[in-house]
Coordinates of all heavy atoms in Angstrom, one line a residue:
Chain J
V19 N 3.2 10.4 -18.3 CA 4.0 11.1 -19.3 C 3.2 11.1 -20.7 O 2.9 10.0 -21.2 CB 5.4 10.4 -19.5 CG1 6.1 11.1 -20.7 CG2 6.2 10.6 -18.2
G20 N 2.8 12.3 -21.1 CA 2.0 12.4 -22.3 C 0.7 13.0 -22.0 O -0.1 12.4 -21.3
A21 N 0.5 14.3 -22.4 CA -0.7 15.0 -22.1 C -1.6 15.0 -23.3 O -2.1 16.0 -23.8 CB -0.4 16.5 -21.7
G22 N -1.9 13.8 -23.8 CA -2.9 13.6 -24.9 C -4.1 13.0 -24.4 O -4.4 12.9 -23.2
L23 N -4.9 12.4 -25.3 CA -6.2 11.8 -24.9 C -5.9 10.6 -23.9 O -6.7 10.5 -22.9 CB -6.9 11.3 -26.2 CG -8.2 10.6 -26.0 CD1 -9.2 11.4 -25.2 CD2 -8.8 10.2 -27.4
G24 N -4.9 9.8 -24.2 CA -4.7 8.6 -23.3 C -4.3 9.1 -21.9 O -4.8 8.5 -20.9
V44 N 2.9 15.1 -17.4 CA 4.0 15.8 -18.1 C 3.7 15.7 -19.6 O 3.5 14.7 -20.2 CB 5.3 15.0 -17.8 CG1 6.5 15.6 -18.6 CG2 5.6 14.9 -16.3
G45 N 3.8 16.9 -20.2 CA 3.5 16.9 -21.7 C 4.5 17.8 -22.4 O 4.8 18.9 -21.9
D46 N 5.1 17.4 -23.5 CA 6.1 18.2 -24.2 C 5.4 19.3 -25.0 O 6.0 20.4 -25.2 CB 7.0 17.3 -25.1 CG 6.3 16.6 -26.1 OD1 5.0 16.6 -26.2 OD2 7.0 15.8 -26.9
E47 N 4.1 19.1 -25.4 CA 3.5 20.2 -26.1 C 3.0 21.2 -25.1 O 2.8 20.9 -23.9 CB 2.2 19.7 -26.9 CG 2.6 18.8 -28.0 CD 1.3 18.4 -28.8 OE1 0.8 19.2 -29.5 OE2 0.9 17.2 -28.6
R54 N -6.9 15.5 -31.9 CA -6.1 15.5 -33.2 C -6.9 15.3 -34.5 O -6.5 15.9 -35.5 CB -5.0 14.5 -33.1 CG -3.9 14.8 -32.1 CD -2.8 13.8 -32.0 NE -2.2 14.0 -30.7 CZ -1.4 15.0 -30.3 NH1 -1.0 15.9 -31.2 NH2 -1.0 15.0 -29.1
P55 N -7.9 14.4 -34.5 CA -8.5 14.1 -35.8 C -8.9 15.4 -36.7 O -8.7 15.4 -37.9 CB -9.7 13.3 -35.5 CG -9.2 12.5 -34.3 CD -8.4 13.5 -33.5
L57 N -7.3 17.9 -37.2 CA -6.1 18.5 -37.7 C -5.9 18.2 -39.2 O -5.1 18.9 -39.9 CB -4.8 18.1 -36.9 CG -4.8 18.5 -35.5 CD1 -3.5 18.0 -34.8 CD2 -5.0 20.0 -35.3
S58 N -6.4 17.1 -39.7 CA -6.3 16.8 -41.1 C -7.7 17.1 -41.8 O -7.8 16.8 -43.0 CB -6.0 15.3 -41.3 OG -6.8 14.5 -40.5
K59 N -8.6 17.5 -41.0 CA -10.0 17.7 -41.6 C -10.4 19.2 -41.4 O -9.8 20.1 -41.9 CB -11.0 16.7 -40.9 CG -10.5 15.3 -40.9 CD -11.4 14.4 -40.1 CE -10.9 13.0 -40.0 NZ -9.9 12.8 -39.0
A89 N 9.3 18.1 -21.8 CA 9.4 16.6 -22.2 C 10.0 15.8 -21.1 O 10.9 16.3 -20.3 CB 10.2 16.5 -23.4
A90 N 9.6 14.6 -20.9 CA 10.3 13.6 -20.1 C 11.6 13.2 -20.9 O 11.5 12.8 -22.1 CB 9.4 12.4 -19.8
A116 N 2.1 7.4 -21.7 CA 1.0 7.9 -22.7 C 1.6 8.8 -23.7 O 1.0 9.8 -24.1 CB -0.1 8.5 -21.9
S117 N 2.9 8.5 -24.1 CA 3.6 9.5 -24.9 C 3.4 9.3 -26.4 O 4.0 10.0 -27.2 CB 5.1 9.5 -24.6 OG 5.6 8.2 -24.5
G118 N 2.6 8.3 -26.8 CA 2.1 8.3 -28.2 C 3.2 8.0 -29.2 O 4.2 7.3 -29.0
L136 N 2.4 16.0 -39.9 CA 1.1 16.4 -39.4 C 0.7 15.5 -38.2 O 0.2 14.4 -38.4 CB 0.1 16.3 -40.5 CG -1.3 16.9 -40.3 CD1 -1.2 18.3 -39.8 CD2 -2.2 16.8 -41.5
R137 N 1.0 16.0 -37.0 CA 0.7 15.3 -35.8 C 0.1 16.3 -34.8 O -0.8 16.0 -34.1 CB 1.9 14.6 -35.2 CG 1.6 13.8 -34.0 CD 0.9 12.5 -34.2 NE 0.5 11.8 -33.0 CZ -0.3 10.8 -33.0 NH1 -0.7 10.2 -34.1 NH2 -0.6 10.2 -31.8
I163 N -4.2 9.5 -42.9 CA -3.8 10.9 -42.7 C -3.5 11.6 -44.0 O -3.9 12.7 -44.4 CB -2.7 11.1 -41.6 CG1 -3.3 10.7 -40.3 CG2 -2.2 12.5 -41.6 CD1 -2.3 10.8 -39.1
E166 N -6.9 11.9 -46.0 CA -7.7 13.0 -45.5 C -7.1 14.4 -45.8 O -7.8 15.3 -46.2 CB -7.8 12.9 -43.9 CG -8.7 11.7 -43.5 CD -8.7 11.6 -42.0 OE1 -8.1 12.3 -41.3 OE2 -9.5 10.7 -41.6
N254 N 7.1 7.0 -29.3 CA 7.9 7.9 -28.4 C 8.4 7.2 -27.2 O 7.9 7.4 -26.1 CB 7.1 9.1 -28.1 CG 6.8 10.0 -29.3 OD1 7.7 10.2 -30.1 ND2 5.6 10.6 -29.3
W257 N 12.6 7.9 -24.0 CA 12.8 8.3 -22.6 C 12.7 7.1 -21.7 O 13.1 7.2 -20.5 CB 11.8 9.3 -22.2 CG 10.4 8.9 -22.3 CD1 9.6 8.9 -23.4 CD2 9.5 8.5 -21.2 NE1 8.3 8.4 -23.1 CE2 8.3 8.2 -21.8 CE3 9.7 8.3 -19.9 CZ2 7.2 7.7 -21.0 CZ3 8.7 7.8 -19.1 CH2 7.4 7.5 -19.7
G288 N -3.0 3.9 -25.1 CA -3.1 4.7 -26.4 C -2.2 4.1 -27.5 O -1.9 2.9 -27.5
D289 N -1.8 5.0 -28.4 CA -1.1 4.6 -29.6 C 0.2 3.9 -29.3 O 0.7 3.1 -30.1 CB -0.7 5.9 -30.4 CG -1.9 6.5 -31.2 OD1 -3.0 5.9 -31.2 OD2 -1.7 7.5 -31.9
E306 N -3.6 2.4 -33.7 CA -3.6 3.9 -33.8 C -5.0 4.4 -34.1 O -5.1 5.1 -35.1 CB -2.5 4.4 -34.8 CG -1.1 4.0 -34.4 CD -0.1 4.4 -35.5 OE1 -0.4 5.2 -36.4 OE2 1.1 3.9 -35.4
H307 N -5.9 4.1 -33.3 CA -7.3 4.6 -33.4 C -7.6 5.5 -32.3 O -7.3 5.2 -31.1 CB -8.3 3.4 -33.4 CG -8.2 2.5 -34.6 ND1 -7.3 2.6 -35.6 CD2 -9.0 1.5 -35.0 CE1 -7.5 1.7 -36.5 NE2 -8.5 0.9 -36.1
W308 N -8.4 6.5 -32.5 CA -8.8 7.5 -31.5 C -9.5 6.9 -30.3 O -9.5 7.4 -29.2 CB -9.7 8.5 -32.2 CG -10.1 9.7 -31.4 CD1 -9.4 10.8 -31.4 CD2 -11.3 9.8 -30.7 NE1 -10.0 11.7 -30.6 CE2 -11.2 11.1 -30.1 CE3 -12.3 9.0 -30.3 CZ2 -12.2 11.6 -29.3 CZ3 -13.3 9.5 -29.5 CH2 -13.2 10.8 -29.0
P311 N -7.2 5.1 -26.8 CA -6.8 5.8 -25.6 C -7.9 5.7 -24.5 O -7.6 5.6 -23.3 CB -6.5 7.2 -26.0 CG -6.1 7.1 -27.5 CD -7.0 5.9 -28.0
S341 N -12.3 1.0 -33.1 CA -13.2 1.7 -33.9 C -12.5 2.9 -34.6 O -11.7 3.6 -33.9 CB -14.4 2.2 -33.0 OG -15.0 3.3 -33.6
F342 N -12.7 3.1 -35.8 CA -12.0 4.1 -36.6 C -13.0 4.8 -37.5 O -13.8 4.1 -38.1 CB -10.9 3.5 -37.4 CG -10.0 4.5 -38.0 CD1 -8.8 4.9 -37.4 CD2 -10.3 5.1 -39.3 CE1 -8.0 5.9 -38.0 CE2 -9.5 6.1 -39.9 CZ -8.3 6.5 -39.2
W343 N -12.9 6.1 -37.6 CA -13.7 6.8 -38.7 C -12.8 7.7 -39.4 O -11.7 8.0 -39.0 CB -14.9 7.6 -38.0 CG -14.4 9.0 -37.6 CD1 -14.4 10.1 -38.3 CD2 -13.7 9.3 -36.4 NE1 -13.8 11.1 -37.6 CE2 -13.4 10.6 -36.4 CE3 -13.3 8.5 -35.2 CZ2 -12.7 11.3 -35.4 CZ3 -12.6 9.1 -34.2 CH2 -12.3 10.5 -34.3
Ligands
FAD29 C1 -3.9 14.4 -38.1 C2 -4.5 13.2 -37.4 C3 -5.8 12.8 -37.7 C4 -6.4 11.6 -37.1 N1 -7.6 11.3 -37.5 C5 -8.2 10.2 -36.9 C6 -9.5 9.8 -37.2 O1 -10.2 10.4 -38.1 N2 -10.0 8.7 -36.6 C7 -9.3 8.0 -35.7 O2 -9.9 7.0 -35.1 N3 -8.1 8.4 -35.3 C8 -7.5 9.5 -35.9 N4 -6.2 9.9 -35.5 C9 -5.5 9.1 -34.4 C10 -5.8 9.6 -33.0 O3 -5.7 11.0 -32.9 C11 -4.7 9.0 -32.1 O4 -5.0 7.6 -32.1 C12 -4.8 9.5 -30.7 O5 -4.5 10.9 -30.6 C13 -3.8 8.8 -29.8 O6 -3.8 9.3 -28.5 P1 -2.6 9.1 -27.5 O7 -3.0 9.8 -26.2 O8 -2.2 7.7 -27.4 O9 -1.4 9.9 -28.1 P2 -1.2 11.4 -28.5 O10 -2.5 12.1 -28.7 O11 -0.1 11.5 -29.5 O12 -0.6 12.0 -27.1 C14 0.7 11.8 -26.7 C15 1.3 13.1 -26.1 O13 2.6 12.8 -25.5 C16 3.5 13.8 -25.9 N5 4.9 13.3 -25.7 C17 5.6 12.5 -26.5 N6 6.8 12.2 -26.0 C18 6.8 12.8 -24.8 C19 7.8 13.0 -23.8 N7 9.0 12.4 -23.8 N8 7.5 13.8 -22.7 C20 6.3 14.4 -22.6 N9 5.4 14.3 -23.5 C21 5.6 13.5 -24.6 C22 3.1 14.0 -27.4 O14 3.7 15.3 -27.8 C23 1.6 14.1 -27.2 O15 1.2 15.4 -26.8 C24 -5.6 11.0 -36.1 C25 -4.3 11.4 -35.8 C26 -3.8 12.5 -36.4 C27 -2.4 13.0 -36.0

Side-chain angles (χ1 to χ4, degrees):
Chain J
V19 174
L23 180 55
V44 177
D46 59 359
E47 292 185 76
R54 289 182 205 283
L57 300 179
S58 50
K59 310 179 183 76
S117 47
L136 190 52
R137 180 76 188 171
I163 292 179
E166 289 178 355
N254 294 322
W257 63 278
D289 282 358
E306 296 176 11
H307 293 4
W308 187 88
S341 155
F342 188 94
W343 82 95

